[in-house]
Amino acid sequence: MNAPTPPAIPGPSSPFAERQAALWQRIGSSAAVLVPGAREQRRNGTNTYPFRQSSDLLYLTGFDEPDAVAVFSTSVETRQLTLFLKPRDKVREQWTGRRLGVDEAPSKLGCQAAYELSELESRVAALIDGCHTVYAPLGDDEAFDALLLRAVKKLRGNERNGSRAPQCIADLSTVLHELRLRKDEESLRCMRRAAAITCEGHLLAMAAARAGRREHHIRALIDYAFAREYGAPGYDTIVGAGANATVLHYTSCADELRPGELLLVDAGCEWGHHTADVTRTYPIAASDGSRPRWTSAQRRLYDVVLAAQQAGIAVARPGCTIEDVHAACVRVATQGLVDLGLLPRTADLSDLIERGEHRRYYVHRTSHFLGMDVHDVGQYFPGSAARVLEPGTVFTIEPGLYIRADAELPSDCEDLRGCGVRIEDDVLILAPEHGGPHEVLTAACPKDPDELLGLIGRGVTIAL
Ligand code: CA
């Protein structure tokens, strides 16, 4: 893979400055936006989980240290970004590495002021004084909610001296998440890169999918493919062999791969703080790596899911809704369930769908937004109707059919028992003038059922 341009670093002329400008425009001239970052989370003993900054703070500032809060405040006269962060500390930095510190923050991050986090409580009231509306992530963190309300109370208590408490406290999502939902050029660059690395990981998994190996061996190769490109899984990788493929969030990954069974791999690389999300399902090769084959039942099930996904992708365009995509997938999948004998052949297709009969096997929705978070921000039903998708929106299209090992099945469908198939790609809505109506970001990951047979179990060469 070609050497990538690294993800953007913060700075006055960075994409972060453009995102901040868009935020300023949305909030008007009498508002403040409070954006707390993530804290380190204890794993066990004195160990912590690998740190992941909050996507909101990353999106707006690129600042990647724990224990930070950004405050955007504006009045008719001024706009100010104030950052609260951990101070420089020679002793702690010996253990955990260089901190940016208060002195360098303004020049490196383009903020107008920077203070130690310990000063947040004493300074936040002044920063929101006179603002009509304060936006904050309500309900995420009780301590932060309480800090904000104490600041409001302090301003109320001082109104005779000229302080003005905010009249409205609104959720941060109402201003910020609409911005994050429509990906800018930097986000799309990161997502395309994440998609490319993800496809590499899936190709490696396919090449290694031989009987006798275990699910965690496949997961290890995916981890390696992501880490080699300075990425990491954007969510817990799912590698499910045989009936494990019917467990939607199967992550124990301890079982052996058996020849002729299906393997479901759901894995996405996060790169530059944006993640891909891809699922492929295919038969496991014999231990000698000889060309695998689909059983007749597996192939019929796979073809139904693939046709459903293609129907969903075909309707993805500016102006459609995720409900339209879901309906297109469900219609094809339900007809397929009838053809497979899993639903009654005598029934009317629309009746079956209306009664939700397909949900016996099609147990999840078809799509979610995708971006910095795997289940990315953005309301699905803003107002009273489904969101109309605009160019720049990225979402998954992932129909799946799962025939559980303990399902009650018609007697002529026993050969489908324990089979699960999901096929998932990441789709960007594009305007016609940019090559629309859509781009499948993960199109490089094979899913043609015959092409897959030439890739599975071929053997793996590890290279750095
Ligand atoms: Ca997935």
Side-chain angles (χ1 to χ4, degrees):
M1 200 174 279
N2 294 333
T5 312
I9 53 169
S13 62
S14 67
F16 306 106
E18 288 177 25
R19 293 168 183 174
Q20 290 171 19
L23 182 72
W24 290 126
Q25 195 168 13
R26 282 188 78 92
I27 65 175
S29 60
S30 181
V33 180
L34 276 52
V35 187
R39 299 194 188 119
E40 288 191 300
Q41 300 293 323
R42 182 165 169 263
R43 180 176 181 273
N44 65 317
T46 56
N47 291 323
T48 54
Y49 285 101
F51 178 70
R52 172 55 156 78
Q53 183 61 283
S54 95
S55 295
D56 286 338
L57 191 67
L58 279 173
Y59 179 80
L60 287 169
T61 70
F63 188 55
D64 203 11
E65 288 184 21
D67 301 318
V69 177
V71 180
F72 298 79
S73 50
T74 179
S75 67
V76 174
E77 302 89 40
T78 61
R79 281 176 178 174
Q80 178 167 315
L81 167 55
T82 307
L83 193 74
F84 294 88
L85 69 169
K86 290 205 284 199
R88 299 291 311 274
D89 180 332
K90 282 185 179 168
V91 175
R92 294 309 312 161
E93 287 178 41
Q94 166 89 66
W95 292 86
T96 57
R98 177 82 154 81
R99 294 177 182 174
L100 180 64
V102 167
D103 293 341
E104 288 183 43
S107 62
K108 291 277 169 61
L109 297 175
C111 58
Q112 283 71 51
Y115 302 103
E116 295 184 13
L117 184 67
S118 59
E119 297 182 43
L120 177 66
E121 173 90 42
S122 62
R123 290 186 179 274
V124 72
L127 289 169
I128 65 173
D129 189 357
C131 294
H132 177 276
T133 304
V134 172
Y135 298 93
L138 304 175
D140 263 12
D141 176 346
E142 284 182 17
F144 194 81
D145 292 346
L147 179 141
L148 173 58
L149 293 179
R150 285 197 298 276
V152 171
K153 186 177 176 187
K154 187 173 170 182
L155 292 173
R156 289 236 175 93
N158 201 34
E159 286 190 335
R160 277 182 296 172
N161 296 319
S163 291
R164 280 181 300 139
Q167 293 169 41
C168 180
I169 296 179
D171 194 66
L172 176 63
S173 64
T174 57
V175 281
L176 185 54
H177 293 176
E178 287 296 312
L179 297 176
R180 280 180 53 193
L181 181 63
R182 282 177 283 279
K183 273 58 184 174
D184 57 22
E185 279 308 309
E186 173 63 9
S187 283
L188 289 178
R189 189 177 74 84
C190 292
M191 295 197 76
R192 289 192 174 101
R193 177 83 184 142
I197 300 167
T198 297
C199 294
E200 297 282 322
H202 276 275
L203 284 167
L204 208 52
M206 289 169 193
R210 286 184 190 176
R213 298 210 163 108
R214 305 190 85 87
E215 294 163 340
H216 61 86
H217 294 140
I218 304 299
R219 184 176 61 186
L221 286 169
I222 288 168
D223 286 347
Y224 152 77
F226 294 176
R228 182 178 59 177
E229 301 296 334
Y230 206 57
Y235 55 93
D236 281 348
T237 297
I238 296 165
V239 180
N244 294 338
T246 67
V247 180
L248 300 183
H249 286 177
Y250 173 81
T251 54
S252 62
C253 293
D255 283 356
E256 189 173 318
L257 275 56
R258 288 171 294 272
E261 290 189 339
L262 292 181
L263 184 69
L264 183 150
V265 178
D266 184 345
C269 177
E270 179 177 308
W271 189 88
H273 302 120
H274 291 70
T275 193
D277 186 358
V278 172
T279 308
R280 291 292 182 263
T281 311
Y282 40 84
I284 294 163
S287 57
D288 63 2
S290 56
R291 191 179 173 91
R293 63 177 202 89
W294 299 90
T295 67
S296 165
Q298 289 167 351
R299 178 63 187 264
R300 283 182 287 131
L301 185 66
Y302 187 88
D303 285 348
V304 168
V305 178
L306 184 59
Q309 199 215 22
Q310 286 165 338
I313 291 172
V315 301
R317 62 186 58 246
C320 83
T321 69
I322 278 184
E323 296 307 294
D324 296 334
V325 173
H326 179 62
C329 291
V330 163
R331 193 156 188 90
V332 172
T334 307
Q335 180 62 56
L337 289 168
V338 171
D339 297 341
L340 289 166
L342 288 163
L343 291 179
R345 292 187 172 90
T346 50
D348 176 74
L349 185 62
S350 298
D351 279 353
L352 285 173
I353 294 168
E354 204 165 308
R355 294 206 306 269
E357 296 288 341
H358 59 288
R359 288 198 212 118
R360 270 194 258 169
Y361 309 105
Y362 195 131
V363 296
H364 53 70
R365 301 284 296 176
T366 304
S367 300
H368 55 78
F369 294 131
L370 188 70
M372 301 186 87
D373 299 339
V374 64
H375 292 163
D376 205 36
V377 295
Q379 284 184 301
Y380 290 87
F381 292 88
S384 58
R387 176 186 293 278
V388 173
L389 300 183
E390 297 176 21
T393 311
V394 180
F395 63 107
T396 63
I397 300 184
E398 47 173 316
L401 293 176
Y402 311 92
I403 322 301
R404 291 164 49 139
D406 60 357
E408 280 182 33
L409 297 176
S411 57
D412 58 347
C413 292
E414 276 302 317
D415 50 1
L416 288 164
R417 186 176 292 284
C419 290
V421 173
R422 179 163 68 253
I423 307 172
E424 175 176 26
D425 282 289
D426 305 341
V427 176
L428 162 67
I429 297 289
L430 275 180
E433 60 268 31
H434 294 122
H438 62 246
E439 175 186 341
V440 180
L441 300 176
T442 48
C445 194
K447 60 185 171 185
D448 176 87
D450 295 316
E451 184 186 356
L452 285 170
L453 296 183
L455 300 168
I456 300 157
R458 289 193 307 178
V460 170
T461 307
I462 298 289
L464 290 176

